[in-house]
Amino acid sequence: MLRSGHEQRGATAVEFALVFPMLFILFYSVVIYSYLFVLQESVSYAAQEAAAAAHRVDPVGNGNFDETVGTQVRARAAQVLDWLPDSQKARVLGTTACSGGGNAGSGIEVCIDNATDVVTVNVRFDVEGLFPVLSMPLIGELPPMPDQLRGSGTALVGDT
């Protein structure tokens, strides 16, 4: 004997309750990772463009070469990252001391090797707190995100 539809009323709600969290996490992760991918590409491009801006500064006879390069690099990086909201742009446009590309804090690092006339620009963007993290029982935090996005660019300045 066939059962009537009245006995199946709650089945749809139960199925929805089981499937919706998984679909929401999938959708949320796709959105977050898409933004992180665009942000990573922008950070890499900003570092490359900033290094190219350092190439435009002539080191010969320039007593303030290091300072001029730093100003040009930061200005170009700010121009490339102008599409970011101000709160996110502030995370990356800070200045950090040259540590040789380590995992220092967020910001723009300009390393100038005066012996070889090589300028290395490292751009770091701290991701922590950028997006809400979902905490799921038995699974943990979703989506897993990197702590930092990094980009690097190198340019040879001068006539060599």
Side-chain angles (χ1 to χ4, degrees), residues 4-18:
S4 66
H6 296 291
E7 295 177 14
Q8 295 292 320
R9 270 193 195 160
T12 304
V14 170
E15 290 170 2
F16 180 77
L18 293 173

Side-chain angles (χ1 to χ4, degrees), residues 53-54 57-58 62-74 112:
V57 179
D58 187 11
N62 188 346
N64 294 330
F65 176 71
D66 292 0
E67 184 179 319
T68 305
V69 165
T71 302
Q72 291 290 327
V73 162
R74 286 176 186 79
I112 302 171

Side-chain angles (χ1 to χ4, degrees), residues 24-25 28-29 32-33 36 91 126-137 139-147:
F24 178 76
I25 290 169
Y28 183 70
S29 297
I32 297 299
Y33 284 134
L36 286 176
R91 288 177 182 238
D126 285 334
V127 177
E128 185 179 345
L130 186 61
F131 300 106
V133 177
L134 304 174
S135 182
M136 301 297 292
I139 297 175
E141 294 184 347
L142 293 174
M145 290 188 275
D147 296 330

Side-chain angles (χ1 to χ4, degrees), residues 10 33 57 60 71 105 107 122 125 140 158 160:
Y33 284 134
V57 179
V60 178
T71 302
N122 296 306
F125 186 98
T160 54

